[in-house]
Amino acid sequence: MDKRVIIHVDMDAFFASVEQVDNPKLKGKPVIVGGDGPRGVVSTCSYEARKYGVHSAMPMFIAKQLCPKGIYLPVRHNRYSEVSKKVFEILHSITDLVEAVSIDEAYLDITNLNENPIQIVNIIKKRIKGRLGLTLSAGISYNKFLAKIASDWNKPNGLKVITEDMVPEILKPLPISKVHGIGERSIERLNEIGIYTIEQLLKLTEDQMIYYFGKYGIEIYNRIRGIDNRLVSTEREMKSIGRETTFPSDTSDKEILKEVLTDFAEELTNSLLEESIYAKTITVKIKTQDFKTHTRSKTLKDYTNSFKEVKQTAFEILDNYNIDKGIRLIGLSLSNFTNVRYQQLSIFDWVVNIKGKEEV
Ligand code: TTP
Ligand code: MG
């Protein structure tokens, strides 16, 4: 593949920054956005609040202990979506090759613009700051993986270029969690054998990588060496992904069935990570010894790419299924995709809040 020029942009403290723009009195202050109620979590917080150790996904009550003087605001998802739309309009004014990754994150392929990439980033930053009052961090490199690593380099309002000669040195000190495509379960397994950094991961052979990451092993092997041929794609066609297996002899042993579902959940969530997408519907398919096929689905409240959540949901579906015959085949599939992770968060928060209120 010819050398490409990819930009990854990620808005700084997105929800909190929008709140600060909408209410300038909040500028420079620790602003924490999230669900209140006893089970509420932090969606994000301003960089001023991060100094106190507050971060996304932290329970609200802990945030309040760490930063008692913080300004706590509810999630206004419609407003953030509105602003996000304007951000994407600005990105589309640069090129059509824009891939939305989440509400505040995108890849741009500017190879064919033949312009200075730093200048392009500065134009984007200026337009977004000028029209929306917001800052972002951008990474420039020759593939998506490295562009994303670069945008994360010196947040907020960062700009970092990673060129070919900087790889793999620049990657070596990074924790393995920075590698797009390595899921939570793989991180746990690698930590167990003492692997925490990319430098340590670089020591594994291709076969070992396949052992730890399944069929994406080679891709990750290449990625940490600076090879990533994924295209910046403007649309997604996939409707569902699934795995199934037929047993050598029929079984009704739940432990065996759960083992298979666990493996499938891992493979499928790795695919989600790989594609930067999230699924909402989980389906278990069972074919009994009389060749009848039964499918049961569950649609979650929020999109997920979490191995644990997919596994647990699959187990739940299986546990609700009355196994009265031998099972020939079991399958697991995921559908109902989005590439915008936090789309449904406000609704989820709302449900949590209502529940919280009932408990009081
Ligand atoms: P991020 O880009 O991960 O975070 P951020 O923009 O707030 O901060 P950063 O400067 O580090 O990029 O996520 C974008 C938005 O998505 C964030 O503003 C709020 C929302 N979000 C959640 O609701 N829950 C989460 O756990 C995370 C990570 C983000
Ligand atoms: Mg962001």
Side-chain angles (χ1 to χ4, degrees):
M1 191 175 283
D2 287 339
K3 232 174 134 198
R4 297 177 293 159
V5 185
I6 310 292
I7 299 175
H8 180 256
V9 297
D10 188 324
M11 303 299 294
D12 298 321
F14 186 51
F15 295 3
S17 305
V18 172
E19 295 297 345
Q20 288 174 322
V21 167
D22 287 354
N23 180 359
K25 280 190 203 133
L26 302 180
K27 288 224 164 97
K29 301 210 170 120
V31 172
I32 296 106
V33 178
D36 50 9
R39 292 168 55 205
V41 293
V42 175
S43 296
T44 192
C45 60
S46 65
Y47 278 78
E48 293 83 4
R50 294 184 197 195
K51 288 184 202 144
Y52 296 84
V54 180
H55 59 75
S56 293
M58 172 181 273
M60 252 336 186
F61 76 92
I62 295 188
K64 284 181 181 160
Q65 282 167 10
L66 291 171
C67 186
K69 296 220 169 101
I71 295 147
Y72 289 82
L73 300 173
V75 182
R76 290 190 301 149
H77 205 277
N78 289 343
R79 176 68 185 137
Y80 315 136
S81 295
E82 204 173 88
V83 178
S84 170
K85 235 172 111 186
K86 291 184 185 152
V87 168
F88 278 91
E89 274 166 23
I90 293 171
L91 299 179
H92 278 283
S93 72
I94 304 289
T95 174
D96 284 337
L97 286 179
V98 177
E99 175 178 337
V101 182
S102 77
I103 192 163
D104 83 326
E105 204 187 321
Y107 291 104
L108 285 76
D109 185 333
I110 57 153
T111 313
N112 294 328
L113 292 186
N114 291 321
E115 302 273 359
N116 178 338
I118 294 178
Q119 256 168 28
I120 299 273
V121 165
N122 286 333
I123 291 171
I124 295 171
K125 284 188 173 216
K126 208 167 144 195
R127 284 187 190 163
I128 290 184
K129 182 77 192 171
R131 294 182 203 169
L132 307 174
L134 296 168
T135 64
L136 61 94
S137 297
I140 302 169
S141 196
Y142 54 94
N143 64 41
K144 283 166 81 170
F145 170 62
L146 295 171
K148 187 170 163 71
I149 296 269
S151 74
D152 202 31
W153 206 261
N154 46 9
K155 267 186 157 288
N157 201 8
L159 167 56
K160 170 89 180 161
V161 183
I162 297 183
T163 51
E164 244 172 318
D165 53 309
M166 295 158 90
V167 179
E169 280 317 304
I170 193 165
L171 300 177
K172 282 183 177 173
L174 300 179
I176 51 175
S177 57
K178 292 268 179 191
V179 182
H180 187 74
I182 301 189
E184 51 199 301
R185 188 152 184 240
S186 307
I187 292 176
E188 276 171 24
R189 278 159 65 191
L190 290 166
N191 286 350
E192 272 165 25
I193 58 161
I195 294 182
Y196 296 92
T197 64
I198 295 185
E199 180 164 24
Q200 292 170 311
L201 198 57
L202 280 164
K203 301 212 165 84
L204 297 192
T205 62
E206 289 185 59
D207 284 344
Q208 286 169 320
M209 293 296 278
I210 293 169
Y211 175 77
Y212 284 106
F213 302 109
K215 69 176 196 156
Y216 292 117
I218 297 299
E219 223 151 313
I220 295 170
Y221 179 90
N222 287 328
R223 206 163 281 178
I224 56 179
R225 287 163 174 80
I227 303 162
D228 175 12
N229 291 326
R230 285 174 304 154
L231 297 175
V232 170
S233 75
T234 48
E235 50 192 301
R236 305 205 178 255
E237 288 296 328
M238 220 176 356
K239 291 272 178 271
S240 80
I241 50 173
R243 300 276 183 277
E244 56 182 47
T245 188
T246 304
F247 295 109
S249 59
D250 298 344
T251 181
S252 49
D253 184 339
K254 269 205 173 157
E255 288 313 305
I256 295 178
L257 297 169
K258 285 187 173 174
E259 244 171 63
V260 174
L261 287 176
T262 302
D263 288 346
F264 288 165
E266 185 177 14
E267 268 186 60
L268 296 174
T269 49
N270 280 341
S271 303
L272 295 182
L273 274 165
E274 188 67 19
E275 297 289 332
S276 299
I277 56 173
Y278 303 85
K280 213 176 176 189
T281 302
I282 289 143
T283 303
V284 173
K285 172 171 142 185
I286 283 173
K287 205 185 259 182
T288 39
Q289 61 197 153
D290 52 5
F291 284 89
K292 281 200 179 125
T293 302
H294 311 258
T295 56
R296 302 267 188 285
S297 296
K298 182 169 179 190
T299 297
L300 302 170
K301 280 200 204 83
D302 202 3
Y303 290 93
T304 188
N305 65 354
S306 155
F307 159 69
K308 281 187 192 133
E309 196 171 358
V310 168
K311 183 185 82 170
Q312 268 154 18
T313 310
F315 282 9
E316 211 179 289
I317 297 172
L318 182 70
D319 286 335
N320 283 327
Y321 179 85
N322 181 23
I323 304 178
D324 54 359
K325 292 192 187 72
I327 291 172
R328 279 181 60 77
L329 169 149
I330 190 158
L332 179 66
S333 65
L334 306 179
S335 56
N336 205 347
F337 299 124
T338 182
N339 49 9
V340 181
R341 178 171 200 173
Y342 303 112
Q343 215 170 38
Q344 297 297 317
L345 194 82
S346 60
I347 297 162
F348 177 68
D349 272 357
W350 179 77
V351 172
V352 169
N353 285 344
I354 296 288
K355 276 196 192 139
K357 280 189 186 120
E358 280 171 359
E359 276 164 27
V360 175

